[in-house]
C-alpha cells in the first residue's frame, strides 16, 4: 500500500510541475494589454509626394528686363509634382550700371507669382551664359547686392535656397574676366550675399573646396554649429556636373575625402544641382545615382538637363524612386497614444518618425499638435518643440512631448500633426505644409496629417 501512495505522490509532483507542453518549463505570461493606450502602426505611402523645397526642379533663366514667370507654367507644375524652380537672372545689361527699375520689378513680379501658385525658387544671378562673355567687376557686384537686398528680404518666404552666382559664366564661379575667382574676391562676394540675405536663407557654393578656402577650415561642422545661423552654418553646395566624370568636371580634387565632407555637412546645409554629359564614365546607372545621392544627401535635381541621364533612369524604372527620395520624405511609423485625458491635465504625445528620403529638411518649420472637435469641428492648436530638421535619414526619431490641455474643453477630438512654413505669410497655406508619407493621413485642404486617433478629454 505504501508503494502505491509513493507512486501517486511522485506522479502528482510531476503533474504539478509541468506546463502541459511536455517541456517541463514554466510558461511566460504575455505582457498585459494596456487598453488605455491606442498602439498604432502607420502604413507608409508609396506615392510621389509634392513637398516644399525638395525634389526635381525646372531650370528657368531670364535675360535682363525679360518676361516674368508665367502663371500658367507655374500652375502646371502641380501635375509634375514639382514645387521648386531654379530661377536664374542674367544681368548682362548691367555690367557697368545699376540695376534698372524694370529689372527689380521683374524680380518682384516673379516672387509674387511664385507665392500665388504655391511654388518656391532656388535663386541665382549671373552676368552671362557664354564662357566667352564678360562678367562684372567686384565693385559692381557688391553694388547690385545692395540694390537687391530690399526685394530679397521682402520675399524671403518663397526663396528655398540661393546659389552664390555672380562670378563667371552662368554664375558658376569660373571663366571670370574680372579676377573674381581669387579667394579674397570669392570671400567678399559670399560674405556680402550672406549679409544682404535674411539669416534663415542658406547659400550654396559650387565646390566643397570653395567653402573650405573661404572659411579657412576643413573638418565638417557638427550639430553644435550646423543648426545655428552663423555664416559657416548657412553655406551648402551645388554641383552642376553631377555624375559626369570621375571628379564631376573638377568639382572635387580629393574625391573620396571631399565627398565624405559634403556628406557630413549635408546634415545641416543643402546639396543639389544638375547632371552633365558624361566624360570617360558611363551614364550613371540607377544604382550609381542612388548611392551617390544618398551619400551626398541630394535635395533637388534639374529636370531639364542632362536629358540622356534622366532618360536612363526612366528606362530603368528608378526615376519615380528618385522623385520620392530627393530631399526629405518624412513619415509616421508607430504611435502610442492615450485614449483619454483629464481636462486641465496633460496629453503625452508618443510617436516614432522616419525620414525615408536622401536628405533632411533644411529650413526651419513650425510643428503643431492639432485637436479637432468631433462634435463641432473646433480646432485647438498646440505648438510642439519638434525641430523637423533633426529627423534625419537612416534613423528613427522619437517624438515624445507633454502637451497641456488647460484651454481645451471636455469632449472627443481627432488628433493631427501640422508642419507649416515658418513665415507668417505662408503658415496657413497647405501647399507649403509638409505632407507625411503615410496612407490615409493627409488632409490637403488644411495641410494637416491625421494621427488616426481620437482622444477623449474628460
Amino acid at each position: 500500500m505504501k508503494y502505491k501512495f509513493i507512486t501517486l505522490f511522485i506522479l502528482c509532483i510531476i503533474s504539478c510541475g509541468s506546463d502541459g507542453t511536455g517541456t517541463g518549463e514554466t510558461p511566460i505570461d504575455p505582457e498585459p494589454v494596456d487598453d488605455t493606450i491606442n498602439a498604432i502602426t502607420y502604413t507608409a505611402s508609396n506615392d510621389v509626394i509634392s513637398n516644399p523645397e525638395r525634389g526635381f526642379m525646372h531650370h528657368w533663366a531670364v535675360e535682363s528686363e525679360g518676361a516674368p514667370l508665367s502663371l500658367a507654367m507655374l500652375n502646371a507644375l502641380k501635375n509634375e509634382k514639382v514645387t521648386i524652380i531654379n530661377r536664374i537672372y542674367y544681368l548682362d545689361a548691367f555690367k557697368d550700371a545699376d540695376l534698372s527699375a524694370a529689372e527689380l520689378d521683374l524680380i518682384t513680379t516673379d516672387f509674387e507669382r511664385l507665392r500665388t501658385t504655391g511654388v518656391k525658387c532656388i535663386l541665382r544671378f549671373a552676368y552671362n551664359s557664354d564662357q566667352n562673355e564678360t562678367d562684372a567687376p567686384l565693385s559692381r557686384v557688391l553694388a547690385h547686392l545692395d540694390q537687391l537686398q530690399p526685394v530679397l528680404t521682402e520675399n524671403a518666404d518663397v526663396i528655398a535656397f540661393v546659389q552664390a552666382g555672380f562670378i563667371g559664366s552662368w554664375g558658376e564661379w569660373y571663366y571670370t574676366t574680372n579676377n573674381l575667382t581669387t579667394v579674397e574676391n570669392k570671400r567678399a562676394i559670399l560674405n556680402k550675399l550672406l549679409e544682404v540675405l535674411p539669416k534663415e536663407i542658406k547659400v550654396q557654393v559650387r565646390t566643397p573646396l570653395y567653402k573650405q578656402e573661404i572659411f579657412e577650415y576643413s573638418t565638417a561642422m557638427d550639430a553644435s554649429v550646423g543648426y545655428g545661423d552663423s555664416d559657416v552654418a548657412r553655406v551648402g553646395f551645388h554641383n552642376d556636373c553631377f555624375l559626369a566624370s570621375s571628379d564631376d568636371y573638377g568639382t572635387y580634387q580629393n574625391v573620396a575625402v571631399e565627398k565624405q565632407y559634403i556628406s557630413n555637412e549635408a546634415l545641416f546645409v543643402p546639396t543639389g544641382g544638375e547632371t552633365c554629359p558624361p566624360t570617360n564614365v558611363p551614364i550613371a546607372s540607377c544604382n550609381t545615382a542612388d548611392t551617390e545621392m544618398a551619400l551626398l544627401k541630394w535635395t533637388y535635381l534639374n529636370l531639364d538637363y542632362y536629358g540622356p541621364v534622366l532618360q536612363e533612369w526612366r528606362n530603368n524604372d528608378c526615376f519615380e524612386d528618385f522623385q520620392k527620395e530627393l530631399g526629405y520624405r518624412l513619415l509616421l511609423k508607430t504611435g502610442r497614444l492615450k485614449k483619454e485625458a483629464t481636462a486641465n491635465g496633460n496629453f503625452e504625445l508618443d510617436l516614432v518618425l522616419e525620414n525615408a528620403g536622401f536628405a533632411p529638411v533644411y529650413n526651419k518649420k513650425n510643428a503643431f499638435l492639432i485637436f479637432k472637435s468631433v462634435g463641432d469641428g473646433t480646432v485647438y492648436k498646440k505648438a510642439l518643440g519638434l525641430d523637423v530638421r533633426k529627423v534625419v535619414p537612416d534613423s528613427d526619431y522619437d517624438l515624445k512631448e507633454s502637451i497641456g490641455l488647460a484651454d481645451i474643453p471636455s469632449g472627443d477630438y481627432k488628433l493631427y500633426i501640422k508642419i507649416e512654413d515658418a513665415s507668417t505669410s505662408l503658415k496657413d497655406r497647405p501647399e507649403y505644409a509638409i505632407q507625411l508619407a503615410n496612407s490615409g493621413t493627409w488632409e490637403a485642404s488644411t495641410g494637416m496629417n491625421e494621427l488616426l486617433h481620437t482622444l477623449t478629454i474628460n
Side-chain angles (χ1 to χ4, degrees):
M1 182 71 181
K2 69 177 182 179
Y3 298 113
K4 183 176 180 181
F5 175 79
I6 292 169
T7 301
L8 289 172
F9 180 70
I10 292 169
L11 288 172
C12 179
I13 292 173
I14 293 171
S15 174
C16 292
S18 171
D19 64 357
T21 64
T23 65
E25 297 178 1
T26 303
I28 298 173
D29 291 332
E31 289 188 19
V33 175
D34 185 350
D35 59 9
T36 69
I37 295 285
N38 184 13
I40 310 165
T41 299
Y42 295 97
T43 303
S45 169
N46 198 39
D47 293 339
V48 174
I49 292 173
S50 299
N51 264 324
E53 302 155 6
R54 57 149 300 276
F56 281 107
M57 67 175 191
H58 280 294
H59 172 107
W60 290 343
V62 60
E63 299 301 324
S64 300
E65 300 181 348
L69 290 166
S70 159
L71 283 169
M73 290 177 66
L74 288 169
N75 278 316
L77 295 178
K78 295 180 178 68
N79 297 327
E80 297 182 79
K81 305 288 188 180
V82 169
T83 66
I84 49 173
I85 65 163
N86 189 190
R87 186 57 161 167
I88 299 185
Y89 295 95
Y90 284 113
L91 309 177
D92 47 295
F94 308 107
K95 295 173 187 177
D96 300 306
D98 287 345
L99 301 177
S100 65
E103 182 68 19
L104 294 172
D105 287 345
L106 162 66
I107 298 167
T108 300
T109 299
D110 279 351
F111 285 138
E112 291 170 351
R113 293 184 177 187
L114 288 165
R115 191 178 296 107
T116 296
T117 53
V119 179
K120 291 198 179 190
C121 71
I122 298 154
L123 192 61
R124 189 197 298 184
F125 297 92
Y127 291 100
N128 69 73
S129 57
D130 185 329
Q131 68 187 60
N132 298 311
E133 294 282 335
T134 60
D135 52 13
L138 177 62
S139 60
R140 180 58 58 192
V141 174
L142 301 181
H144 284 166
L145 280 164
D146 281 329
Q147 282 190 274
L148 288 165
Q149 182 171 12
V151 70
L152 298 179
T153 301
E154 180 69 21
N155 296 283
D157 56 341
V158 289
I159 300 173
F161 315 111
V162 175
Q163 297 174 343
F166 291 102
I167 298 174
S169 303
W170 305 284
E172 290 185 359
W173 287 37
Y174 204 72
Y175 298 119
T176 180
T177 58
N178 281 278
N179 201 34
L180 297 182
T181 53
T182 66
V183 174
E184 293 77 12
N185 286 342
K186 287 186 291 190
R187 182 182 291 121
I189 291 172
L190 180 60
N191 286 345
K192 185 68 173 179
L193 191 53
L194 292 165
E195 174 192 323
V196 304
L197 287 167
K199 285 280 190 182
E200 64 268 22
I201 293 181
K202 297 188 186 296
V203 176
Q204 297 174 290
V205 293
R206 179 63 185 82
T207 77
L209 280 184
Y210 290 164
K211 181 176 180 180
Q212 292 179 1
E213 290 171 347
I214 289 168
F215 291 103
E216 299 179 329
Y217 82 118
S218 58
T219 301
M221 60 188 168
D222 61 15
S224 67
V225 175
Y227 290 122
D229 61 2
S230 65
D231 284 352
V232 74
R234 294 172 60 198
V235 177
F237 315 94
H238 70 97
N239 180 347
D240 294 332
C241 273
F242 184 50
L243 303 170
S245 73
S246 60
D247 62 359
D248 285 356
Y249 284 36
T251 298
Y252 306 106
Q253 304 302 310
N254 188 336
V255 178
V257 169
E258 290 166 30
K259 283 184 177 181
Q260 189 58 52
Y261 160 81
I262 287 182
S263 181
N264 295 339
E265 291 238 322
L267 286 168
F268 318 107
V269 291
T271 56
E274 64 187 14
T275 57
C276 260
T279 298
N280 298 323
V281 295
I283 282 185
S285 67
C286 290
N287 186 61
T288 295
D290 182 83
T291 300
E292 286 289 292
M293 285 193 271
L295 172 66
L296 300 172
K297 301 178 176 64
W298 270 61
T299 203
Y300 65 84
L301 187 67
N302 186 6
L303 262 177
D304 302 318
Y305 191 78
Y306 175 62
V309 175
L310 301 175
Q311 192 58 46
E312 174 79 6
W313 301 340
R314 292 186 179 97
N315 294 343
N316 289 281
D317 299 324
C318 62
F319 181 85
E320 186 173 295
D321 293 335
F322 297 155
Q323 281 184 296
K324 299 172 189 176
E325 295 172 302
L326 277 164
Y328 60 88
R329 186 176 175 86
L330 309 184
L331 63 147
L332 296 160
K333 290 186 73 176
T334 61
R336 289 182 55 80
L337 305 176
K338 282 279 190 180
K339 297 177 182 178
E340 298 186 13
T342 304
N344 298 313
N346 291 315
F347 174 71
E348 304 303 321
L349 184 65
D350 187 352
L351 299 168
V352 177
L353 303 178
E354 179 186 356
N355 185 345
F358 292 135
V361 176
Y362 291 111
N363 294 326
K364 290 180 181 178
K365 307 291 179 184
N366 293 327
F368 297 89
L369 181 64
I370 307 294
F371 297 76
K372 185 176 181 181
S373 170
V374 172
D376 61 12
T378 302
V379 168
Y380 299 86
K381 191 174 180 181
K382 295 289 186 175
L384 296 175
L386 170 66
D387 184 347
V388 292
R389 298 177 301 166
K390 297 180 180 179
V391 186
V392 299
D394 301 322
S395 62
D396 287 347
Y397 183 93
D398 293 324
L399 175 56
K400 295 184 178 181
E401 296 194 32
S402 185
I403 293 93
L405 305 176
D407 59 344
I408 304 180
S410 300
D412 294 333
Y413 295 87
K414 287 188 174 183
L415 300 188
Y416 301 78
I417 290 282
K418 187 181 183 192
I419 305 169
E420 63 186 35
D421 200 278
S423 68
T424 56
S425 57
L426 302 182
K427 67 183 181 65
D428 296 323
R429 297 277 300 276
E431 314 98 300
Y432 292 107
I434 291 179
Q435 178 181 350
L436 300 179
N438 293 102
S439 297
T441 58
W442 177 242
E443 191 173 276
S445 62
T446 63
M448 302 191 310
N449 301 276
E450 187 177 348
L451 294 182
L452 308 181
H453 178 73
T454 299
L455 173 70
T456 299
I457 299 179
N458 297 312

